[in-house]
Amino acid sequence: MEFFKNRSESKRKKIKEAVKKAGCVFVLLHVLSLPWACDKKPADNRAGTVEPPDKIVVTLYPSKEQQTIHSFGASDCWTAKFVGNWPDEQKKNRIADLLFSMDTLRDGSPEGIGLSLWRFNIGGGSFEQGTASNIKDEWRREECFINADGSYNWKKQKGQQWFLQAARKRGVAYTLGFSLTPPVFMTQNGKAYNASGGTRMNIREGMMGAYAAFLAKVTAHFKFDFLSPVNEPQWKWGKADGAGQEGTQALNTEIAALVKAIALKMKNVPAKIVVGEAGQWDYVFGKNEKGCGDQARRFFTPGAATYIGGLPQVAGIISAHSYFTTCPDAAAVSIRQQVRSVAQQLAPLQVWQTEFGILGNICNQYRGAPRNTGIDYGLYVAKVIHYDLTVANATSWQWWLAMSPYNYSDALVYINTPSGKIDASACKTDGIVSDSKQLWALGNFARFIRPGMKRITVTVSGKAAAGNVLVSAYKEKDTKKTVVVLINPEDREQSVQLKGIEHQPLGVYTTDRIQNLKHSVVQPNEMRLPPKSVVTVTGMCRQ
């Protein structure tokens, strides 16, 4: 979650070694094991016609259902505390519309990306500490609802509360509260980060119950649908002289103890607890450095010492982050296959990808800094979403920073100073709002794939099928409404025919170098994918 430069060199080397070990064999195994490998193609009105050899043929199989999609989300972390308090309501509403709106413009293009889940950061109190927090950047400090005497101040985190209400007003289906650290007065060092360099949670002896009560009370007060009590427990947060943000390590045993304590406090609260939030995917299925990995089995295998899956307050979900596991392609696929495999072994366990942004140096192709909001970065985001949904079988996909003032590429909406400069310190009370291709590429999924839709099997054939075009498809459970997302990373136009979909005009929404979910209408047999584009098609499938 923090900038890549804060990750240790040794950690990066271990990640590279894991990627190399993954190998390419899993890609072949994945292809051979897919349910459509031996299926017959569905009947098509135009059967018998010969398609041009350069055309990509995408065939939908509506009866071959995969996972049910739960949501697409993003977090309010850091920036909302200032931007949510801007006096200019029009600018705040512009941001909220970009993130949450399901309305359309006059030409039929979406006004926003229609997120269906909103993540609320439950702060630990570093903001009230000011410079004494040893977190240098005030944008990265957070307020806390509870005081040291046990009293609550629900006026805290006012800016974040503004965006929470804005999300609900625009129909966002789910809200999730997440915590990075216990309140500072409950921690061992009185700070919102763990400077020990060890792996233990930064919490004082005997305070686990109080921390659990705090999280349960905040969850109930704001009527969150979900609570995620621990975030990226594998990473070391801070040094003796300070930290870049709030955060704490945690062992699986400590996470299980905290969850059990929260569950006792949430018996009359309808929210569900989501566990994991692993720093990267391989901590879900195997990697277990110092007792803080292999989380799916440790938390959801009956009889395990840290088993919590039987608690009614715990959702049947294992969550993790897609960082540092996205390239090369063979390794990205292999890692996600292993995530899917362990979840299937522990069925009905769902997989959630709960945090992603562009961090660090990614295979010398993409970099967190400086800020890049162009189509290449949007295409990269779309590709990660595609693999997480189609290989890991994720049911929810969530972004990291919904908005940011930084010269970095991990946000959806960006804030510059009123004069247009990138300077976080100068836009606390006002600024210029701008979008990004990361935002709109996520929108090609989030705006159209709604909660409850099912992913369905597709095949891709034709001369260009061996290329880089990626396709996934989804349908509404009780109707024939279908959504197809096509990603064309190549710098040339692609010709596509859709089969298994009704032969009537299809709604098309294109994000490319100059367009943002631009609406148009085409026939199934005459689609064109612009160079470097993400295209969403809506229509009615054939049952």
Side-chain angles (χ1 to χ4, degrees):
M1 179 170 53
E2 57 175 6
F3 290 170
F4 188 79
K5 64 184 180 182
N6 294 330
R7 310 289 190 179
S8 68
E9 184 63 32
S10 62
K11 187 180 297 177
R12 278 179 275 171
K13 289 181 180 178
K14 290 179 181 178
I15 293 168
K16 290 180 180 178
E17 290 173 1
V19 167
K20 288 180 180 178
K21 291 179 181 179
C24 300
V25 67
F26 292 98
V27 178
L28 177 59
L29 292 175
H30 175 60
V31 172
L32 293 176
S33 64
L34 285 174
W36 45 260
C38 300
D39 282 346
K40 294 181 180 180
K41 292 185 178 181
D44 190 282
N45 287 348
R46 304 175 71 252
T49 61
V50 178
E51 298 301 334
D54 62 341
K55 180 173 286 189
I56 298 173
V57 179
V58 175
T59 305
L60 310 184
Y61 294 81
S63 63
K64 299 289 186 179
E65 297 179 350
Q66 306 298 325
Q67 79 271 33
T68 301
I69 301 299
H70 180 273
S71 55
F72 291 87
S75 87
D76 67 1
C77 207
W78 300 341
T79 309
K81 73 169 145 294
F82 288 126
V83 176
N85 284 319
W86 279 5
D88 192 326
E89 293 290 320
Q90 185 175 0
K91 289 182 179 179
K92 291 192 293 188
N93 278 302
R94 169 60 176 157
I95 297 171
D97 286 340
L98 286 171
L99 295 170
F100 311 130
S101 178
M102 286 291 290
D103 291 340
T104 55
L105 304 175
R106 289 184 177 180
D107 69 351
S109 303
E111 180 180 45
I113 68 169
L115 293 177
S116 45
L117 182 145
W118 186 236
R119 294 171 61 90
F120 185 103
N121 178 21
I122 303 171
S126 58
F127 190 84
E128 291 91 335
Q129 290 180 316
T131 56
S133 67
N134 285 352
I135 297 175
K136 184 177 180 180
D137 186 351
E138 62 181 327
W139 284 80
R140 291 185 164 204
R141 306 171 194 152
E142 294 290 2
E143 291 181 312
C144 188
F145 293 115
I146 191 172
N147 302 310
D149 63 3
S151 62
Y152 283 79
N153 182 350
W154 297 115
K155 293 182 180 180
K156 296 286 185 70
Q157 300 192 243
K158 183 179 178 182
Q160 290 171 258
Q161 291 193 52
W162 188 93
F163 276 99
L164 177 64
Q165 295 307 314
R168 285 173 166 159
K169 286 179 182 177
R170 288 164 177 78
V172 172
Y174 305 103
T175 56
L176 178 151
F178 69 100
S179 177
L180 305 180
T181 175
V184 291
F185 67 88
M186 296 183 188
T187 64
Q188 290 182 344
N189 59 359
K191 306 296 182 184
Y193 61 89
N194 188 348
S196 69
T199 56
R200 301 298 300 272
M201 183 182 290
N202 185 25
I203 190 166
R204 286 165 45 199
E205 189 71 27
M207 294 299 291
M208 193 71 85
Y211 184 27
F214 163 71
L215 292 176
K217 188 159 187 174
V218 173
T219 299
H221 179 84
F222 289 106
K223 296 180 172 60
F224 294 139
D225 298 289
F226 300 96
L227 169 67
S228 178
V230 179
N231 189 77
E232 295 186 342
Q234 296 84 14
W235 302 146
K236 293 180 180 179
W237 298 101
K239 300 179 180 179
D241 60 349
Q245 64 172 83
E246 295 187 346
T248 182
Q249 301 92 295
L251 301 173
N252 287 338
T253 52
E254 293 172 319
I255 296 172
L258 176 60
V259 169
K260 289 175 182 178
I262 296 171
L264 290 174
K265 305 290 184 180
M266 283 179 49
K267 287 185 175 180
N268 298 317
V269 178
K272 295 293 185 180
I273 303 168
V274 178
V275 295
E277 296 268 13
Q280 58 192 49
W281 279 122
D282 48 0
Y283 284 112
V284 166
F285 59 79
K287 195 172 184 179
N288 192 23
E289 295 175 349
K290 300 179 180 179
C292 57
D294 194 24
Q295 291 187 322
R297 294 186 182 91
R298 305 289 169 157
F299 295 143
F300 291 97
T301 299
T306 50
Y307 176 61
I308 52 177
L311 297 172
Q313 294 79 17
V314 174
I317 297 166
I318 188 68
S319 63
H321 302 166
S322 272
Y323 300 128
F324 319 126
T325 59
T326 61
C327 65
D329 285 354
V333 170
S334 170
I335 288 169
R336 285 156 179 77
Q337 285 176 335
Q338 293 176 78
V339 170
R340 180 173 182 169
S341 176
V342 73
Q344 289 175 335
Q345 293 169 26
L346 299 168
L349 188 64
Q350 291 185 50
V351 172
W352 279 18
Q353 193 293 124
T354 50
E355 189 180 306
F356 186 72
I358 298 172
L359 304 182
N361 181 351
I362 303 167
C363 290
N364 293 319
Q365 290 182 285
Y366 314 98
R367 296 178 185 273
R371 181 191 299 178
N372 189 316
T373 59
I375 189 59
D376 286 334
Y377 280 54
L379 287 166
Y380 167 64
V381 168
K383 184 176 181 179
V384 174
I385 298 172
H386 173 86
Y387 282 146
D388 285 342
L389 295 180
T390 64
V391 183
N393 227 33
T395 59
S396 182
W397 201 94
Q398 301 163 28
W399 185 264
W400 171 218
L401 296 181
M403 45 199 146
S404 171
Y406 294 113
N407 190 20
Y408 216 78
S409 303
D410 60 346
L412 301 176
V413 177
Y414 284 94
I415 310 298
N416 284 0
T417 68
S419 63
K421 296 180 179 179
I422 299 177
D423 181 359
S425 64
C427 52
K428 292 196 302 182
T429 59
D430 193 14
I432 295 175
V433 177
S434 61
D435 59 7
S436 70
K437 294 301 180 181
Q438 291 93 309
L439 171 82
W440 296 111
L442 172 55
N444 276 94
F445 294 86
R447 176 62 174 75
F448 306 97
I449 307 168
R450 305 309 298 170
M453 294 188 80
K454 286 186 175 290
R455 185 170 69 85
I456 60 174
T457 296
V458 301
T459 59
V460 182
S461 59
K463 181 178 179 181
N468 295 322
V469 174
L470 301 175
V471 186
S472 61
Y474 312 82
K475 71 170 187 179
E476 283 192 346
K477 186 176 181 180
D478 298 321
T479 72
K480 296 182 1 180
K481 182 177 179 180
T482 303
V483 173
V484 184
V485 182
L486 305 101
I487 304 167
N488 177 23
E490 298 186 11
D491 201 8
R492 63 186 179 91
E493 185 181 75
Q494 303 277 11
S495 178
V496 175
Q497 178 190 354
L498 291 179
K499 292 187 175 182
I501 199 164
E502 295 289 350
H503 281 283
Q504 58 186 16
L506 305 174
V508 176
Y509 302 85
T510 302
T511 299
D512 59 14
R513 289 186 179 96
I514 60 174
Q515 301 178 105
N516 298 320
L517 294 183
K518 179 68 174 179
H519 176 251
S520 60
V521 176
V522 301
Q523 293 292 334
N525 60 332
E526 59 185 34
M527 279 193 57
R528 300 276 178 176
L529 303 183
K532 292 194 172 185
S533 64
V534 187
V535 176
T536 300
V537 180
T538 61
M540 306 296 284
C541 67
R542 294 176 181 170
Q543 298 289 5

